[in-house]
Amino acid sequence: MRIRPETAADYNEIYSLVKVAFETAKVKDGDEQDYAVKLRSGAGYIPGLALVAEENNRLIGHIMLTKIHIDHEGHKQDALLLSPLSVLLEYRNKGVGSALVRDSLERAKKLGYKYIFLVGDPAYYSRFGFSSISGYAITQSLVPNEYALVLELQANALSGVSGSIELH
């Protein structure tokens, strides 16, 4: 398996991969493939943080980290959002998703980002160090806080940070 940044030549295959992967997901909206397109066309898109897992010239997984902000009284701090993470059903439980997450976290850290947010299953994402935002002065209004997770890429990066998560 090889992990690499997505390219424009991958977009159609990524669209299908995300759609098919979420058809068999436990939690889904049904429009995750369109959400990925929307993120890619938005101001927060970072090409080097949208990755694919490839095996035998076939895309088997995909992950995106896009720029968001924490807004505190008009002062905005950069942060990242991990969404979506997609792995084809026949490649699940084989480390593809974990490899994509770990690779994306390392790339984000090298680019100087301090924290990453996501909405997801705490049981899955806790293995990477994600925890509920409840322990921080960060708010959001999308989901119950137990599913709104954060990972500090630098120790105590959220110390003294407060505000609401602002998606693009």
Side-chain angles (χ1 to χ4, degrees), residues 1-2 4 6 10-25 32-34 36-37 40 51-55 57-64 84-92 96-97 100:
M1 176 180 66
R2 178 173 84 120
R4 62 171 175 78
E6 68 179 21
D10 299 320
Y11 292 169
N12 288 337
E13 191 174 355
I14 290 169
Y15 187 89
S16 296
L17 182 153
V18 174
K19 182 177 181 180
V20 168
F22 273 94
E23 286 173 352
T24 55
E32 288 81 4
Q33 65 281 354
D34 296 318
V37 170
R40 189 179 296 119
L51 308 174
V52 294
E54 184 177 51
E55 189 167 274
N57 296 317
R58 178 181 181 211
L59 299 187
I60 61 172
H62 176 257
I63 191 169
M64 290 181 87
L85 170 61
S86 311
V87 177
L88 293 176
L89 181 61
E90 61 268 31
Y91 291 93
R92 290 188 194 149
V96 175
L100 283 165

Side-chain angles (χ1 to χ4, degrees), residues 21 46 56 58 64 72 76-77 82 92-93 96 110 112 122 126 128 134 153 159 161 164:
I46 306 166
N56 298 322
R58 178 181 181 211
M64 290 181 87
H72 179 73
K76 298 179 186 209
Q77 292 194 327
L82 188 162
R92 290 188 194 149
N93 300 311
V96 175
K110 285 178 184 174
S126 65
F128 307 106
S134 296
L153 295 174
S159 179
V161 175
S164 60

Side-chain angles (χ1 to χ4, degrees), residues 69-73 137-141 162-167:
H69 295 102
I70 299 172
D71 185 10
H72 179 73
E73 298 176 358
I138 306 296
T139 61
Q140 56 81 39
S141 59
S162 63
S164 60
I165 297 172
E166 181 182 284
L167 302 176

Side-chain angles (χ1 to χ4, degrees), residues 109-126:
K109 192 182 291 187
K110 285 178 184 174
L111 290 173
Y113 288 96
K114 296 179 182 177
Y115 25 82
I116 299 175
F117 294 91
L118 64 83
V119 172
D121 180 2
Y124 179 77
Y125 288 102
S126 65

